[in-house]
């Protein structure tokens, strides 16, 4: 079935350090992989996404890598800041992404200590 | 309003009562999704519409749940005979099919508490 596993569930880093969150997916036909940030009591918001024809994408301090063979993708945040503290969700769009439906991971609570 | 809006933001109901939530997507978006999120978990897909057609429903969506999008604009999600296990955040999202797999924009959700 369609499944996305996300690790770790919690991550605590010192301000300025890097943070890495990893996800694996089960449906090899998945072709779209967004990452969402959700602050307490707020809606999930897209921070970066990657499509299956690309191995890496970067946007300022945030980067995402994709390994289609291993069905892994990862979020990298460099030079973390306290405002990066939130819950991060990875997701995959299964079955070729024709529906836009997303299967989400369980989330990672990131705490950046000043 | 340029975002996805949901109403109400919070709903407390007694077990066994029926509840209905509304979602207004971004106006030019033809796809609309409902997700359910429980504490400490990621959103779980419930159902999706393309225009007014409901094209997929999760097995999580029991027969007590029904969703409509009558004119291809706003959508409603009704839960009949609510149970305590229905307590969750119900999120709506929208996207535009013709732009391929583009960003799904989420609403702020309706938090349901069944007592």
């Amino acid at each position: 079935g369609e499944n996305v596993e996300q690790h770790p569930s919690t991550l605590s880093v010192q301000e300025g350090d890097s943070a890495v969150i990893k996800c694996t997916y089960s449906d090899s036909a998945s072709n779209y992989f967004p990452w969402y940030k959700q602050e307490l009591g707020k809606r999930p918001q897209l921070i970066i996404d990657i499509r299956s024809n690309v191995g890496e994408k970067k946007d300022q301090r945030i980067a995402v890598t994709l390994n289609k063979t291993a069905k892994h993708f990862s979020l990298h945040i460099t030079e973390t800041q306290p405002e990066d503290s939130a819950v991060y969700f990875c997701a995959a769009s299964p079955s070729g992404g024709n529906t836009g439906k997303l299967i989400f991971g369980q989330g990672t609570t990131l705490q950046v200590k000043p | 309003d340029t975002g996805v809006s949901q109403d109400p933001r919070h709903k407390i109901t007694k077990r066994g009562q029926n509840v209905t939530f509304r979602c207004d997507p971004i106006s030019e978006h033809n796809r609309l999704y409902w997700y359910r999120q429980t504490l400490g978990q990621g959103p779980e897909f419930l159902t999706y519409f393309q225009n007014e057609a409901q094209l997929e429903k999760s097995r999580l969506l029991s027969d007590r749940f029904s969703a409509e999008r009558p004119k291809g604009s706003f959508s409603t999600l009704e839960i009949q005979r609510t149970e305590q296990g229905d307590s969750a955040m119900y999120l709506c999202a929208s996207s535009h099919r013709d732009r391929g797999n583009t960003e799904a924009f989420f609403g702020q959700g309706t938090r349901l508490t069944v007592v």
Side-chain angles (χ1 to χ4, degrees), chain B residues 3-51:
Chain B
V4 178
S5 63
Q6 293 186 244
D7 182 71
R9 293 288 308 281
H10 303 273
K11 178 71 176 179
I12 300 175
T13 191
K14 291 184 179 179
R15 190 174 51 188
Q17 296 295 304
N18 299 344
V19 294
T20 300
F21 310 141
R22 177 178 170 126
C23 171
D24 286 89
I26 294 171
S27 59
E28 66 268 25
H29 284 182
N30 49 16
R31 285 180 164 176
L32 185 147
Y33 309 85
W34 285 98
Y35 290 85
R36 180 171 64 189
Q37 186 177 26
T38 53
L39 197 62
Q41 299 295 317
E44 295 177 299
F45 171 79
L46 293 178
T47 189
Y48 108 95
F49 293 84
Q50 184 161 301
N51 300 313

Side-chain angles (χ1 to χ4, degrees), chain A residues 36 43 51 97-99 101, chain B residues 31 33 56 101 104 106 108:
Chain A
Y36 283 82
R43 72 187 77 193
R51 302 186 189 282
N98 293 329
T99 67
K101 157 187 167 182
Chain B
R31 285 180 164 176
Y33 309 85
E56 185 172 347
N101 281 325
F106 281 85
Q108 291 194 305

